[in-house]
Each structure stands twice: as C-alpha cells, then as structure tokens.
C-alpha cells in the first residue's frame, strides 16, 4: 500500500522534515564542546563521559530498525509526532539534571525517540519523491541539512556553554521541539503503509539492541579495566553471540525485523557499510579534536567551538555543489572522493604533538574532514536508499540511519579504548593517545574508499547522464547489482 502523500501526488513538506532532522543531528554534535563543563559539574569519570554521546548514539542506532518498521506498520506521521514529543520532553529532563546518571538516561531516551523520528523523515522524503533526479535532489537537501546540523551543533554548543551554561545545549530543543510537533500535526498527511496482519519483530529488536549494548560496554570498560579483564571479555563475547543469534532468528520468523534478502541490493549494502564507517570517523574525530583543543591547547568551550567554525563554513559553502556533483557523477564517484578527503584529513590530524598550534596542527585536517563529512552525509543517503520502493522504505531508512549511528557508538567506544588502553588511562588524554585516535580514523577513512570502489558499481546508483538517455521513461527502481 502507498501513503496518502504518494497517493495524492503531494510532496511531503521537505523544509519541516529537514528541520526535524537538523535538530536530531545537531543534538548529537552540540554536546561535544560542552563535555568538559558537564564533567566538572556532574563529576563524570573520564571513561563515563563518553556515554553522554554514546548513550544517545547507541539507543538511536539500536532501535532505528524497530523505529523504521514501526513507521511502516503504524504510520510514519504518527511515529514522527510521538517521537518528537518524547524527544522534547527528554531534552527538558536532561537540561535540569543534577546527577550524571540522569543526564545519561535522558540522552538514552533522546536516542530512543529519535529512532522513531529519523526513519520516518527519511522514508517520507524518499517515498515522496520518485527515484531519479527528484529524489537525488531531495536526498541531497536531507544530507546537506544533516551535515550542517553536525558541524553547526559543535559551534552552537560552545556559544551556549560559554555565555549560558551546558544546560542550554539540552534546553534549546524544548521550544524548537514544541513548534515542530505542532506544525507536523497540522501539515503532515496521515499515511497507511501496512496491513492489519503486519506486526513488529520485538524479539529481533531486543536481540540486536542487546548485542550492541554489550559490545559497546565491553569496549568502554576496556579503557579502565584492560582488554583481558573478565567483564570486558564476557561483554564482548555476549555481544557477538547475541548478534549471531539475531541473524539466525531473522531467517526463521515470518515477519523479520530485517529480511536478509534486502542485502541482495548491492548499492544498499555498500551504502550502509559506508554509513557505518563515516559515522565512526565523524564521532571519533569530533570527540578528540574537541578534547585536544581544550586539554592540550587550553581553549575554553567557546574558543574550542569557534575552532570548528571553518568546518561549518566548508559545509555551508560546499553542500549545494556536492548535491549537484552527486546528481551529475553518481554517488560512487563522489563517495570515493569523500573517503580520500577523510583519509588525508585524519592523517594530518594524526601528526599533532604537544607543541602543535591550531593553525598548523588542527585547521588543515579539520577543514578536509568537514568537506569529507559533507560528501558522506549527502551521497550515502542516496546510495543507502537506492533501488528501494514503498513497502521497504521504512526498513531501508532504518537500516541506513542505524548503520551510521551504530558506527558512531561503537567506533567512539573503540577509539576511547585505544587511546586509553595503549597509553594509560587518566582524566587528561595523553598526546600520543590523540595520535592513536586519529590514526584509527585514518584507517576507517581508507576503508570507506575500498568499500566505495569494490561495493558500488557505476550502474548501482542512477546518474544524471543515465537519466538523460531516457528522458521519457517513468522513474523505476534501480535493480540491485548482482
């Protein structure tokens, strides 16, 4: 069945949907510069501090598959409105928290509710615009807004923390969320995508979320206890077993959370792999650049946030050109170029020392990362929904967002563990710990290039050139690469 929007031939309100996505992405990034203030005010441990970011990413990523499927079953408008309302309430609770565990819990609820909103946003955009030039442009706007939210959030976080308090980075969502909920209730058309026989695979959702939690806890605990500690080994082993069990269960149930046949679409599979890796690059690099500027360069929260301004400017300047290039050259070529930019940028950052300056040590690599992130956010959104039609759009949207956010949570945990375990643990990260973390992002970035080259065929994602060859043809789904 199709949505009301599609049936009526109406386009979904792109500005409203992108505004909601902007808030979700911004909320992940906006806390990074405020981490130091949160640590001082709420007495976080060095390893526990990453859970302010990790809890959001983990619950977001862990429940995105369920959120995407729920949108197919119960309606995407309903999931969008309810999820956004819960997100706004959780922001209020986090903003007034007086204990560290309350803030982490609020961040987890934010991630959980965002898992209902984000797949609905992507599915309504992808489903509301036919595949081809219209969808490429709409998804390009979606990706550009997402990258702008990520980099802009870092700058906004520093300004709010410096002139108000770290609590403002949470409370700013409250008035914005209220306005968006009211507009969505009025502007979005009701949709009905599923039949009454459709149901949610709750056991599958529990298994995959538990697996990600166990793996992330094991990686986080390794920074304090060491890789050979019993709790670490048990958590990592449990996560692996749960993940394998989830895959087995998906082949047995009648309505799986993730029908494994969807991965026969080669463009979709590669797009999700790249989303996972690029999410890891973004989270690890942002976390360690922030901590380097504050701990090594001695920057205040405001000055550190201004250190990200060149990245934000690059995103603003190049978002539209990247959309046009992706439309003209295809996602594969653009993703290869983006992976190269991330690799070079991360490699430059890995050269930082205790005596490095911002201009020579941080700025060059940071600008290249900003440009690479812009490419990733736009082109992966196109590749990750390529060749997918109405009934599976929610699932594809959930998979794409889940891959990226799980990459954020797991890679950040591994990056923190590598920097701490190899070089010792302390409240202040040693300089060689920063170097290790940036070499880690360099390796991930290089993997993006490899996956883009080997995983995406030139015919896997429609290009403008192919479209011009058959101008009269009706838009069709791009077949999965064999």
């Amino acid at each position: 069945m199709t949505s009301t929007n599609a049936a009526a031939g109406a386009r979904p309100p792109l500005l409203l949907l992108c505004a909601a996505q902007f808030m979700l992405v911004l909320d992940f990034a906006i806390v990074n510069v405020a981490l130091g203030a949160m640590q001082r005010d709420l007495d976080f441990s060095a390893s526990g501090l990453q859970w302010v970011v990790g809890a959001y990413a983990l619950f977001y990523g862990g429940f995105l598959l369920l959120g995407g499927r729920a949108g197919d079953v119960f309606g995407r408008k309903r999931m969008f409105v309810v999820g956004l309302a819960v997100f706004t309430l959780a922001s209020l609770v986090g903003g007034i928290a007086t204990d560290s565990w309350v803030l982490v819990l609020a961040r987890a609820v934010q991630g959980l509710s965002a898992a209902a909103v984000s797949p609905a946003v992507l599915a309504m955009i992808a489903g509301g615009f036919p595949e081809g030039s219209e969808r490429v442009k709409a998804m390009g706007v979606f990706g550009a807004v997402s990258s702008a939210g990520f980099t802009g959030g870092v700058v906004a976080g520093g300004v709010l923390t410096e002139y108000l308090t770290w609590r403002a980075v949470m409370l700013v969502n409250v008035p914005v969320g209220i306005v968006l909920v009211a507009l969505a209730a009025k502007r979005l058309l009701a949709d009905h995508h599923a039949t009454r026989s459709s149901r949610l695979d709750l056991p599958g959702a529990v298994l995959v979320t538990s697996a990600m939690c166990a793996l992330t806890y094991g990686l986080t605990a390794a920074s304090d206890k060491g890789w050979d500690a019993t709790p670490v080994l048990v958590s990592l082993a449990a996560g692996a077993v749960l993940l394998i069990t989830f895959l087995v269960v998906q082949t047995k149930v009648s309505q799986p959370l993730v029908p494994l046949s969807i991965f026969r679409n080669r463009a979709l599979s590669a797009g999700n792999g790249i989303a996972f890796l690029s999410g890891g690059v973004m989270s690890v690099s942002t976390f360690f650049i922030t901590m380097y500027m504050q701990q090594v360069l001695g920057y205040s929260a405001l000055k550190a946030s201004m250190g990200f301004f060149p990245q934000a400017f690059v995103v603003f300047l190049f978002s539209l050109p990247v959309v046009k290039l992706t439309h003209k050259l295809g996602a594969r070529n653009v993703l290869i170029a983006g992976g190269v930019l991330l690799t070079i940028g991360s490699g430059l950052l890995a050269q930082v020392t205790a005596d490095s300056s911002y201009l020579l040590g941080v700025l060059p690599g940071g600008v290249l990362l900003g440009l690479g992130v812009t490419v990733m956010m736009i082109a992966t959104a196109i590749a990750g929904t390529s060749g997918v039609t109405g009934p599976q759009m929610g699932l594809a949207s959930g998979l794409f967002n889940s891959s990226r956010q799980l990459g954020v949570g797991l890679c950040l945990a591994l990056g923190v563990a590598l920097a701490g375990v190899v070089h010792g643990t302390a409240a202040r990260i040693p300089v060689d710990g920063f170097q290790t973390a940036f070499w880690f992002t360099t390796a991930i970035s290089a993997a993006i290039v490899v996956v883009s080259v080997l995983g995406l065929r030139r015919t896997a994602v429609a290009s403008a050139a192919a479209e011009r060859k058959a101008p009269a043809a009706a838009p069709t789904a791009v077949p999965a690469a064999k």
Side-chain angles (χ1 to χ4, degrees), residues 321-341 372 374-376 378-380 452:
V322 169
V323 172
K324 292 181 178 179
L325 280 175
T326 305
H327 181 220
K328 181 179 181 180
L329 302 178
R332 178 181 184 269
N333 293 328
V334 175
L335 284 170
I336 293 172
V340 171
L341 289 170
T374 304
V375 172
M376 290 296 117
I378 293 173
T380 54
S452 299

Side-chain angles (χ1 to χ4, degrees), residues 230-280:
T230 300
V232 173
L233 296 175
V234 170
S235 296
L236 294 176
V241 170
L242 287 167
L243 192 58
I244 294 172
T245 303
F246 166 75
L247 294 175
V248 172
V249 168
Q250 295 305 282
T251 66
K252 306 295 183 182
V253 297
S254 59
Q255 296 185 31
L257 183 67
V258 182
L260 300 184
S261 59
I262 197 172
F263 293 108
R264 294 172 185 167
N265 182 329
R266 187 166 184 172
L268 180 143
S269 298
N272 277 276
I274 296 168
F276 177 91
L277 296 169
S278 62

Side-chain angles (χ1 to χ4, degrees), residues 59 61-67 69 112 200-213 242 246 249-250 253 255-258:
F59 278 82
F63 283 90
L64 272 166
L65 297 179
L66 181 61
R69 177 60 178 157
L112 183 62
L200 297 176
D201 178 20
L202 292 177
V206 171
L207 281 171
V208 72
T209 303
S210 299
M212 294 302 101
C213 288
L242 287 167
F246 166 75
V249 168
Q250 295 305 282
V253 297
Q255 296 185 31
L257 183 67
V258 182

Side-chain angles (χ1 to χ4, degrees), residues 32-35 37 40 154-164 290 293-294 298-310 358:
N32 280 278
V33 177
L35 290 175
R40 292 188 297 271
V154 179
V155 176
V159 173
L160 292 173
T161 301
E162 181 73 16
Y163 290 109
L164 296 174
T290 301
M293 286 192 291
Q294 292 187 350
Y299 284 7
S300 65
L302 177 61
K303 193 172 181 180
S305 70
M306 290 299 102
F308 282 95
F309 182 78
Y358 170 79

